[in-house]
Amino acid sequence: MKIYSYKFLLVSGLMAIGSVAFSQSPLYKNKSASIPSRVQDLLKRMTLEEKVLQLSQLSFGNNTNANNIGNKVKNIPAGIGSLIYNSDNPVYRNQMQKKAMEETRLGIPILFGNDVIHGLRTVYPISLAQACSWNPQLVQQACAMAAKESKLAGIDWTFSPMIDVARDGRWGRISEGYGEDPYTNAVFGVASVKGYQGNHLSDSFSIAACLKHYVGYGASEGGRDYSYTEISQQTLWDTYLPPFEACVKAGAATLMSSFNDISGVPSSANHYTLTEILKDKWKHQGFVVSDWNAVEQLINQGVAANRKEAGYKAFNAGVDMDMVDKIYIENMPQLLAEKKITQAKIDDAVSRVLHLKFQLGLFDKPFATVLEENERVLLPASRKLAQDLASESIVLLKNKQQMLPIKSNIKSVALIGPMVKDRSNIMGSWAFDSKDEDAETIWEGFGKVFANQVAFNYAKGCDFDSTDESGFQAGIEQANQSDLVIVCLGEKKKWSGENGSRSTLALPAIQEKLVMELKKSGKPIVLVLSSGRPLELVRLEPLADAIVNLWQPGVQGGSALADIVKGNVNPSGKLAVTFPLTTGQIPTYYNMRPNSRTNTQGNYKDISTAPLYWFGHGLSYTTYQYDSVKISATKVKKNEKIVAEVTVSNTGKVSGKETVLWFISNPACSISRPMKELKYFEKKEIAAGGKATYKFEIDPMRDLSFVDATGKKFLESGSYFLLVGGQKVKIEIE
Ligand code: GLC
């Protein structure tokens, strides 16, 4: 008999115990196993109750969003699938996560989500402003910075980007998306997804994106939030779906179903959009979370008699996770027993949620890294990024006789208006985790940038929307003793964003009257506007020598504006949304379909029919000269490409960043198409006296095709036009 050494026996015994122990460690906890195998292993171990909890999201912490009404949930179950994390402190998250990992049978980590819309603590410009920068690379960087701040705050998932095409400025949420054009929303949505999600969701500072609000929310009737939307199947496909399709293809992890009713079928109970399009046609592998209480709101919308019916209608349509109304928790077991929903569909939804948690690495690293606040928020590089994006988002709308930048003979400037020393509204409507003291005011920015080169005189002049004119006199006095008057007007941040509908785009009368009074001083007037929507300027425009659209620029807006007024920065923003002349013109947008009469018949008889500023409008301190467009071919087959080029010269005295917008039109098609459609854009810096060549490689199937009411793209032979820099070039497709 072979004598085995004591050591050999000991090692063998340990290995045997180890292998037994190892074989009892479940596969789903094995980091080296594939995600699908870990999902399947975990799924088959779960009870129905555990599965239902994974399909539910509750609000956690101090919810400061007044629009999200709901009772604070006590005793949150440790097995909950997701929590809305109302905090920017990672410690609370880790405390709750510890419960999930240690006090539940399977230790499934919680997914913490929050609305990081345009920054967490380092707030950068609202999305509508970002689109006016025409700089998706910079937006991607800003979203990556926001993702890092969020991850270090304990957030794994942001309910962003919002990519709702919107053409009615009365709708306050126009501030949250990227304007009136589908292609613009697609490009900036993709840039945001890439910024948030990084190269891999498991990267240290990646967070999951959530495309919202799926779909058609921007068509809210009358601009009234939460209202009905009348959207034809054709318009659904050619206007509202394209940004979502682009972002799904870019790998967005999740989507959020919207509040609106789409022509009789609410979005959150719409099997066609949620399942047939999103999951069957686009093969989306992630999951859909409802908007806040949107499942329960199906009762208000008249398609469910009670919570239980709302639950199965939403779930069967394709809403995988229920946000805060607890309908899935309370009704799913009964609905399954009654065969109103199936086990297969429950398992599919749970698999989607678990899949994302594994992709994010939550099972292997469930806890957030805890750093001191000053090591993770408002870092100098983050503030610089916020200021750069604000600078490129500002749009110079008017500049009569080159009033701006301020000339050397200007020695004193009156800074007047409710926005001058405001540090709250400048942050915009989705900055719940920011602190007003983080923001730099316009007054502080001017003081920093001009550094005593100019004497600044201040008067508030009036409030945002009172009727009290007693402040006018101080404003007039400051104007009288200054060489130039800069009037800083605007909106309160709650006037836009969610539940921020207004019947008019005009600023309150008190603000307009202040400008009229200041005009009497005879001094040149620069109007600075801070808003979350396009404004009605029909009465203000004639009073101003220059108009600067600041939007809501975030923490560094003051310096960004001052740099432009001083001329340190040459404004490069262009509007991503049309400014109607008056509210009565709504809807008016650049890509409308043509009228049946091409003369002035049909125009308004009381005012001009043309808007004040079209989509794409934006002035510079320099001038650009577009050479004739060069095109590689004017007639091609459908599968052949065309290369179009245009050289732009900077014929002025200062360098500038010029965005070239390439449009197409198809005047004769089997269905009427928009008068023109943006298909590509590029922004480049051009030195004074220099030139740059911009190239658009046209793929007819991608760039000239259209989509029909079934979502089928088609490219017809015939004539098309390429439109760029005021030029129109004919292209024939054989
Ligand atoms: C809100 C908004 C949505 C947000 C969600 C969570 O009602 O509609 O945009 O992401 O609830 O806060």
Side-chain angles (χ1 to χ4, degrees), residues 326-593:
K326 294 192 277 188
I327 283 181
Y328 285 9
I329 291 176
E330 292 167 3
N331 294 282
M332 265 194 169
Q334 187 61 31
L335 289 169
L336 179 64
E338 295 171 6
K339 298 190 184 338
K340 293 271 191 182
I341 60 177
T342 65
Q343 186 65 57
K345 194 156 183 60
I346 291 174
D347 289 349
D348 173 68
V350 174
S351 300
R352 290 169 183 268
V353 174
L354 297 178
H355 190 90
L356 177 58
K357 292 185 176 184
F358 280 115
Q359 283 178 301
L360 286 164
L362 291 179
F363 282 84
D364 312 322
K365 192 180 178 298
F367 303 106
T369 304
V370 180
L371 299 179
E372 289 303 316
E373 184 175 270
N374 61 12
E375 294 176 289
R376 55 185 174 84
V377 301
L378 293 159
L379 304 178
S382 304
R383 279 192 179 269
K384 167 88 173 56
L385 190 51
Q387 183 164 333
D388 289 347
L389 187 48
S391 298
E392 296 209 22
S393 303
I394 291 170
V395 185
L396 180 61
L397 296 175
K398 180 179 183 182
N399 196 19
K400 201 165 72 174
Q401 292 161 355
Q402 291 297 310
M403 173 60 57
L404 294 178
I406 279 184
K407 304 300 178 284
S408 55
N409 63 329
I410 300 292
K411 299 302 178 196
S412 59
V413 173
L415 277 171
I416 299 170
M419 275 307 297
V420 175
K421 293 193 174 182
D422 174 275
R423 59 174 78 251
S424 171
N425 300 300
I426 203 167
M427 298 284 247
S429 62
W430 275 102
F432 292 108
D433 291 298
S434 68
K435 294 182 166 66
D436 291 350
E437 61 263 29
D438 297 339
E440 178 195 64
T441 65
I442 290 171
W443 179 257
E444 289 161 347
F446 274 73
K448 191 190 299 181
V449 168
F450 281 85
N452 306 322
Q453 294 163 37
V454 169
F456 287 107
N457 304 312
Y458 167 70
K460 187 174 182 182
C462 68
D463 281 329
F464 285 92
D465 56 354
S466 73
T467 55
D468 176 7
E469 301 181 9
S470 61
F472 284 9
Q473 189 50 40
I476 293 161
E477 287 164 8
Q478 297 298 4
N480 288 335
Q481 58 186 321
S482 303
D483 300 328
L484 175 72
V485 179
I486 299 180
V487 199
C488 301
L489 307 177
E491 294 188 312
K492 288 185 175 178
K493 61 186 176 185
K494 288 185 177 175
W495 294 1
S496 63
E498 184 177 358
N499 194 15
S501 305
R502 292 177 74 80
S503 67
T504 175
L505 306 188
L507 289 171
I510 190 80
Q511 295 192 42
E512 293 193 359
K513 285 182 78 172
L514 173 64
V515 181
M516 292 171 197
E517 288 305 311
L518 294 170
K519 185 67 180 176
K520 295 173 184 170
S521 68
K523 302 296 174 63
I525 301 269
V526 174
L527 186 54
V528 172
L529 301 168
S530 174
S531 71
R533 56 165 47 84
L535 294 175
E536 176 181 299
L537 303 175
V538 61
R539 290 167 299 281
L540 285 173
E541 191 277 337
L543 303 175
D545 297 281
I547 302 176
V548 180
N549 203 64
L550 177 64
W551 299 114
Q552 287 155 342
V555 290
Q556 291 300 125
S559 289
L561 173 65
D563 272 337
I564 280 178
V565 171
K566 189 168 188 289
N568 295 343
V569 170
N570 182 1
S572 62
K574 293 178 186 257
L575 293 179
V577 65
T578 296
F579 274 49
L581 182 65
T582 70
T583 305
Q585 287 186 338
I586 291 173
T588 186
Y589 46 95
Y590 93 90
N591 40 358
M592 290 182 280
R593 283 181 158 84

Side-chain angles (χ1 to χ4, degrees), residues 641-653:
K641 305 278 195 297
I642 298 173
V643 176
E645 290 187 353
V646 65
T647 297
V648 179
S649 301
N650 178 342
T651 51
K653 296 184 174 59

Side-chain angles (χ1 to χ4, degrees), residues 65 67-68 84 115 117 159 173 176 212-213 217 226 256 259 291-292 323 430 498:
N65 179 351
N67 297 317
N68 283 356
I84 297 180
D115 291 287
I117 310 298
F159 306 130
R173 306 203 76 167
E176 299 176 48
K212 70 183 189 181
H213 303 79
Y217 190 19
Y226 315 114
M256 180 184 291
F259 290 132
D291 202 337
W292 182 282
M323 186 186 286
W430 275 102
E498 184 177 358

